[in-house]
C-alpha cells in the first residue's frame, strides 16, 4: 500500500505531461432520492377549487392586495433578507478570488536607481557613480495546474456561491410565508377581538335586564351573580385579545422591517360576529391554493431552495476531494519577467537594452508528517457528511409536503362540521334566551348555551386561520413556486 501512492504519482505525472492536465476529483453523480417516487395524493374529489400551477410566483399566489403590498415592503426592508443578499455578494467575491488562481498574475513596473561608491572602496581611489533604469512586465508564481488543484478550489467556491444563492431564495420564501402568516394571524385576532367586544356588549345588556329584574324581585341573586360572572369573563377576553392584537402588529412590523401603513393592515368585517351565521363567517381568500396534481414525481422536491443548497454543498465537497488529492503531486510554478534596462534614461528603449529572467520551480511533497493524508480523509469525510445531509434534507422536504397535504385533506370536512356546529349552538342560544324570558328555564341554561356559541365562533375563526395558513405551508414546502419574481 505504501508503494502504491508513489507509483500512482509517477503514472499521473506522465499522463499529465502527455495530456496536459488531469482532474483528481471523483465523478459527481446525483444521489438517488431516499423517498417514495411520487408525492402523496392531494385533495379529495369534493374539493372543486382550482389549484394554482406549481410554477407560479408569489405575486400570482397571493390575491389580497393589502397583503401583497405588505410583502413588497418586507422584501425591501427586512434585515434578514438584506443579510442574505449581502452573503451572496460575499460568496461571489470569494469565487472571484478562487477563480483568479486559474490565470497568471502579470505586473508592470518601472524603476530607477543611482548609487555612489566612495573612493576608499573603489579600485581607482575615486568615487564611482552608478545609474540604472528599468521597465518590465513580470509573471509572478503562476501555478501550472496539472492536477486540477486550482480548478477544484475554484469549482468548490463556485458551488458555495450557488449554495448561498439558493439559501437566499429560501430566506425570501420563508419571509414571504412568515409575513403572510403574521398578517393573517393579525386578521384572525382582530376578528376574535371584535367578537369578544360584541359578546361583552351583549352580556352587559343582559346583566342590566337581570339587574332591573332583581330590583323588582323577578330575578334571584344567583341569576344576578351568574350574569355578573359572564360580564367579567367577557371583559377579560376582550382585554386579552386587545393585547394580542398589539403583539401581532409588533411581530408584523419586525418581519416587514418597518411599521406597515394602517391602510395595509387587515380590517375586521363590519358584520356583528354575535349575529353572523356560518354562511357569512367565511373570510375572503388571501392566497390561492398551490397543490401538486396526483402522481407528481418526488423529483420536484429538488426545486426547493434548501434541497438545491444541500446539493451544491455536496458538489463543493466533491471538488474539495480533488484539491486534497492534488496535494500529493508536484506543483510547478513559473516566475518570469521581460523588459528593458539601461544606465541612462534615454537608452532605456534603445537597441540591445532588453532584459529578461525566467525562473520555473517545482515542489515535490516528500514528507509532511501525514498532513496531506489527513486533509484527504477530512475532505472524504466531509463529502459523506454532505451526502447524508442532502438525503436528510430531501426526506424532511417529503415529510413536510406529506404533512401539509394530510392536513389539507380533512380541512374541508372540519370546516363544514364547525359551521354546522355554529348554526346549532346559535339556535340553542336563541331558544334558551326565549325560554328564560318566559320563565320556563333558568339563567344557567342561557349561560351554558352562550358559552357553547361563543366557543364555536372562536373555533371557527381558528379553523379558518388554519385553512389559510395551510395554503401558505403548502406554498413554502413546495419551494414557493418556481418562478419567484
Amino acid at each position: 500500500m505504501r508503494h502504491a501512492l508513489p507509483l500512482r504519482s509517477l503514472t499521473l505525472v506522465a499522463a499529465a505531461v502527455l495530456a496536459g492536465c488531469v482532474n483528481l476529483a471523483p465523478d459527481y453523480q446525483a444521489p438517488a432520492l431516499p423517498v417514495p417516487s411520487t408525492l402523496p395524493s392531494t385533495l379529495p374529489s369534493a374539493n372543486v377549487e382550482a389549484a394554482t400551477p406549481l410554477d407560479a410566483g408569489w405575486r400570482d399566489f397571493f390575491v389580497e392586495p393589502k397583503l401583497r403590498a405588505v410583502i413588497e415592503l418586507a422584501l425591501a426592508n427586512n434585515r434578514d433578507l438584506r443579510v442574505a443578499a449581502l452573503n451572496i455578494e460575499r460568496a461571489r467575491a470569494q469565487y472571484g478570488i478562487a477563480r483568479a488562481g486559474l490565470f497568471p498574475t502579470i505586473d508592470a513596473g518601472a524603476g530607477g536607481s543611482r548609487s555612489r561608491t566612495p573612493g576608499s572602496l573603489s579600485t581607482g581611489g575615486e568615487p564611482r557613480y552608478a545609474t540604472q533604469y528599468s521597465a518590465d512586465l513580470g509573471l509572478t508564481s503562476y501555478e501550472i495546474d496539472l492536477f486540477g488543484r486550482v480548478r477544484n478550489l475554484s469549482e468548490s467556491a463556485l458551488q458555495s456561491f450557488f449554495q448561498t444563492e439558493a439559501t437566499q431564495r429560501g430566506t425570501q420564501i420563508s419571509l414571504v410565508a412568515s409575513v403572510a402568516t403574521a398578517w393573517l394571524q393579525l386578521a384572525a385576532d382582530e376578528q376574535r377581538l371584535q367578537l369578544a367586544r360584541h359578546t361583552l356588549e351583549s352580556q352587559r345588556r343582559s346583566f342590566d335586564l337581570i339587574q332591573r329584574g332583581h330590583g323588582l324581585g323577578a330575578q334571584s341573586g344567583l341569576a344576578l351573580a351568574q350574569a355578573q360572572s359572564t360580564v367579567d369573563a367577557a371583559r377579560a377576553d376582550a382585554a386579552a385579545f386587545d393585547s394580542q392584537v398589539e403583539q401581532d402588529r409588533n411581530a408584523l412590523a419586525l418581519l416587514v422591517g418597518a411599521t406597515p401603513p394602517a391602510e395595509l393592515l387587515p380590517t375586521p368585517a363590519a358584520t356583528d360576529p354575535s349575529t353572523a351565521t356560518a354562511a357569512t363567517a367565511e373570510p375572503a381568500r388571501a392566497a390561492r391554493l398551490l397543490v401538486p396534481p396526483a402522481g407528481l414525481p418526488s423529483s420536484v422536491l429538488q426545486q426547493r431552495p434548501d434541497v438545491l443548497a444541500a446539493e451544491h454543498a455536496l458538489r463543493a465537497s466533491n471538488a474539495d476531494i480533488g484539491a486534497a488529492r492534488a496535494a500529493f503531486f508536484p506543483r510547478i510554478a513559473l516566475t518570469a519577467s521581460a523588459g528593458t534596462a539601461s544606465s541612462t534614461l534615454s537608452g532605456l528603449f534603445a537597441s540591445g537594452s532588453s532584459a529578461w529572467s525566467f525562473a520555473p520551480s517545482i515542489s515535490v511533497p516528500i514528507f509532511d508528517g501525514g498532513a496531506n493524508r489527513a486533509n484527504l480523509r477530512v475532505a472524504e469525510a466531509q463529502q459523506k457528511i454532505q451526502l447524508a445531509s442532502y438525503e436528510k434534507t430531501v426526506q424532511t422536504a417529503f415529510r413536510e409536503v406529506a404533512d401539509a397535504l394530510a392536513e389539507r385533506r380533512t380541512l374541508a370536512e372540519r370546516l363544514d362540521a364547525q359551521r354546522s356546529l355554529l348554526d346549532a349552538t346559535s339556535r340553542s342560544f336563541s331558544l334558551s334566551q326565549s325560554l328564560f324570558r318566559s320563565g320556563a328555564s333558568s339563567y344557567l341554561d342561557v349561560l351554558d348555551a352562550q358559552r357553547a356559541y361563543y366557543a364555536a365562533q372562536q373555533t371557527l375563526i381558528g379553523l379558518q386561520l388554519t385553512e389559510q395558513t395551510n395554503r401558505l405551508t403548502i406554498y413554502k414546502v413546495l419551494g414557493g413556486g418556481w418562478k419567484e419574481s
Side-chain angles (χ1 to χ4, degrees), residues 378-389:
V378 168
E380 290 173 340
Q382 184 64 26
Q383 193 266 352
K384 293 177 182 177
I385 291 172
Q386 295 297 345
L387 176 60
S389 298

Side-chain angles (χ1 to χ4, degrees), residues 61-62 67 176-188 192 283-290 400 403-405 407-408 411 414-415 461-477:
F61 177 68
F62 292 97
L67 177 54
V176 169
S178 297
V179 169
T181 299
W183 193 90
L184 290 171
Q185 183 68 57
L186 174 59
R192 290 185 174 114
R285 297 291 183 200
R288 300 182 191 274
L289 186 59
L290 183 70
E400 289 176 350
D403 285 351
L405 295 178
E407 182 181 40
R408 185 83 213 167
L411 272 174
R414 291 164 62 189
L415 281 167
I461 294 172
L463 270 178
Q464 289 167 347
L465 175 62
T466 299
E467 194 275 337
Q468 291 285 287
T469 54
N470 177 259
R471 293 167 182 259
L472 299 177
T473 301
I474 294 175
Y475 164 84
K476 182 179 177 180
V477 299

Side-chain angles (χ1 to χ4, degrees), residues 39-103:
L39 293 176
S41 57
T42 55
L43 297 177
S45 57
N47 194 321
V48 296
E49 181 181 359
T52 302
L54 295 183
D55 60 352
W58 71 264
R59 289 180 178 84
D60 298 322
F61 177 68
F62 292 97
V63 297
E64 168 58 50
K66 292 183 179 181
L67 177 54
R68 277 194 293 191
V70 171
I71 292 174
E72 291 277 8
L73 284 176
L75 292 176
N77 296 312
N78 182 267
R79 271 44 175 191
D80 291 334
L81 191 60
R82 192 173 299 176
V83 169
L86 293 173
N87 283 335
I88 289 181
E89 294 300 321
R90 181 179 64 181
R92 181 183 288 112
Q94 289 172 337
Y95 167 61
I97 293 172
R99 189 172 183 272
L102 295 171
F103 306 98

Side-chain angles (χ1 to χ4, degrees), residues 329-353:
F329 301 98
R331 294 173 60 181
I332 299 175
L334 299 179
T335 299
S337 65
T340 180
S342 174
S343 60
T344 62
L345 185 61
S346 59
L348 186 61
F349 296 100
S351 176
S353 64

